[in-house]
Amino acid sequence: MSSRRAAWPLVAVFTAGYLASYLLPTIVGRLSVHLGLTPAQAGLVGSALLLSSASAGFTLAGRVERYGSRTPARAGLLLAAVGYGSAALAGSVPLVVASVMVGGFGSGAATAVAAAGIAAQRDPHRTSSLGLLTVSATAGALYLTIPHLGGGHRLPFAAIALVALLVWPATTRLNGPTAPEESASRVTGRLPHRRSGLVLAGGMLVWSMAQNALWGVSSRIGVVQVGLSEVTVGAVFAAALGAGLLGVMGAGVLGARVGRAVPIGLGTVVIAGSIVVSSSARDLASFATGEILWNTVYPVVLSYLIGLAASLDVRGRWAVLAGSASSVGVACGPLLGSVLSEEAGYPAMGLILGAATLLVAAPVTAVALHTGGRPLVPGSVRRRGGAPAALLAATTGSLSGAVPKLGSPEQAVTELRVRRRRLVRSAIRTAGPDGGPGQSNAYAATSDR
């Protein structure tokens, strides 16, 4: 797909695809209150939504280049608008569940297209940070307004459907399907960094499961355990997401100056502590502290994880696969959080989730240390109209150290302008011996370069 197109259409599609998971606490809470579901049943509906989203990601992994990004993005946004819109209009639980799964599949398709496009960008981390910044701002604004408008379970779903419709015009800037022969040549090829990619995908699954197990029940912790009103809890969430905006902006400014391992490893440790603080809160101060600190660091680490997955494969396959694995973890999170909170209580649930988050920090950080950046693959550095750099070195007798080894960070290529000279007839004659008639001609052919 076109890797140099403007990033803002991808950011818009990313926002529409990710918004449902950001609004999960209010979705689960309102399903429980207004449809008469138990907390576990409401969490199961949220899990069904996110599992459907993950299935769309696995379906589109490696296929976005073949179809182009415009068609699957439009299909995903249409399914999201129809599915969530139907859930907003439905009054029975079976219709809500069916509509939610349709909308979830659309969200997953939009997210997969955005992930593949972000991986093809020149700076995937910057684009992913911008996407998280946008979705955090959108979700924060909704958390400030939804509690004041009422509307039962309908309003969150209607908001997600409306955002999908508003993003639709941005898809005109995405690229269409490629020619069959060009698509086949692009899609074929062995998936690089398989071991690192599998470890990263598995780590993101567990990491996301722990995060969203708490996120799915955070609203109930504030209302039931701390004794806050829905308006106060919404204000805390809005403040937390606002702090997340600052965290994402800081991550965008920091970039790759300290690599990916330090933000991922240290940030995950801070997240584990924040989970324990938030789940054991008994007053507004401790609840707000845990939620704000957690939501400040969470998008920072997530942006580096998305950038790390994108760096493993420029075609975006690992970005989509790791993102889909993360969606599976996100899907299992609400159900896990509901079951743990009912069986063991909120503080014990926080200790279990914090320990799981710490355990997954080591392998994911090791992947970040092992893969320092986007790999240099054979043929990725080419002169315009020329041969690969390794072939040039072999034919010109250059030193072996002049060509980066496989796996080294991608090097910039500087184009040199060479002035052409018109060959005269005498320049292609055979050079004669010393003092012969061809000597001056040979000099004329080789001296003026």
Side-chain angles (χ1 to χ4, degrees):
M1 61 188 300
S2 176
S3 61
R4 301 298 175 243
R5 286 179 176 264
W8 72 265
L10 296 173
V11 170
V13 175
F14 181 89
T15 301
Y18 240 76
L19 186 59
S21 62
Y22 267 69
L23 293 181
L24 197 63
T26 188
I27 289 175
V28 172
R30 291 200 168 208
L31 286 176
S32 178
V33 172
H34 297 282
L35 285 183
L37 301 178
T38 65
Q41 290 172 336
L44 187 59
V45 175
S47 296
L49 185 158
L50 297 168
L51 278 176
S52 181
S53 178
S55 66
F58 286 119
T59 301
L60 287 176
R63 295 181 172 88
V64 177
E65 282 184 311
R66 182 184 308 163
Y67 303 134
S69 54
R70 186 188 306 132
T71 300
R74 286 180 170 178
L77 293 175
L78 179 62
L79 288 175
V82 172
Y84 295 125
S86 300
L89 297 175
S92 64
V93 174
L95 287 178
V96 169
V97 173
S99 301
V100 155
M101 293 188 69
V102 172
F105 194 89
S107 294
T111 304
V113 171
I118 288 172
Q121 292 292 306
R122 188 182 300 275
D123 188 352
H125 177 260
R126 181 178 179 274
T127 308
S128 62
S129 298
L130 187 59
L132 290 172
L133 188 69
T134 307
V135 71
S136 296
T138 305
L142 291 175
Y143 274 117
L144 284 176
T145 55
I146 286 178
H148 296 281
L149 299 177
H153 75 283
R154 307 178 189 277
L155 195 57
F157 291 127
I160 302 173
L162 179 61
V163 170
L165 291 176
L166 292 176
V167 168
W168 176 276
T171 59
T172 58
R173 301 296 300 270
L174 299 176
N175 63 313
T178 57
E181 59 275 4
E182 182 183 355
S183 175
S185 64
R186 286 183 176 183
V187 175
T188 56
R190 194 169 180 269
L191 193 63
H193 300 286
R194 292 194 174 189
R195 182 179 301 177
S196 297
L198 288 174
V199 171
L200 179 61
M204 288 183 68
L205 188 152
V206 178
W207 187 86
S208 299
M209 185 187 302
Q211 310 306 303
N212 285 274
L214 177 62
W215 186 239
V217 298
S218 288
S219 180
R220 297 207 302 273
I221 291 176
V223 172
V224 176
Q225 181 170 282
V226 184
L228 304 176
S229 65
E230 184 185 8
V231 174
T232 305
V233 171
V236 171
F237 286 163
L241 291 174
L245 295 178
L246 298 177
V248 173
M249 288 189 290
V253 172
L254 183 63
R257 290 182 176 87
V258 295
R260 296 188 180 99
V262 173
I264 290 175
L266 182 60
T268 302
V269 173
V270 175
I271 287 172
S274 303
I275 290 175
V276 175
V277 172
S278 181
S279 61
S280 59
R282 296 291 180 179
D283 53 37
L284 175 60
S286 57
F287 178 71
T289 299
E291 291 291 327
I292 291 174
L293 181 60
W294 174 40
N295 280 277
T296 301
V297 182
Y298 167 81
V300 175
V301 178
L302 182 59
S303 69
Y304 279 98
L305 288 174
I306 294 173
L308 177 59
S311 72
L312 296 179
D313 179 27
V314 71
R315 296 173 182 171
R317 289 171 290 180
W318 275 125
V320 176
L321 290 172
S324 299
S326 176
S327 296
V328 173
V330 171
C332 298
L335 181 60
L336 177 64
S338 298
V339 172
L340 285 177
S341 62
E342 286 186 351
E343 297 296 329
Y346 295 117
M349 176 201 71
L351 291 175
I352 295 172
L353 298 178
T357 303
L358 286 178
L359 287 176
V360 82
V364 173
T365 304
V367 173
L369 286 172
H370 179 66
T371 56
R374 177 167 290 169
L376 179 67
V377 295
S380 63
V381 177
R382 292 178 180 268
R383 306 302 188 252
R384 186 178 299 276
L391 181 58
L392 290 176
T395 55
T396 58
S398 301
L399 296 176
S400 59
V403 180
K405 295 181 180 179
L406 185 65
S408 300
E410 187 173 354
Q411 304 295 316
V413 178
T414 302
E415 295 188 3
L416 300 177
R417 184 181 298 276
V418 179
R419 186 176 61 180
R420 294 184 178 181
R421 299 186 68 89
R422 185 172 62 88
L423 290 177
V424 296
R425 186 172 183 179
S426 61
I428 57 175
R429 291 179 181 173
T430 305
D434 293 343
Q439 184 176 3
S440 61
N441 293 337
Y443 179 80
T446 57
S447 62
D448 191 87
R449 294 182 179 176

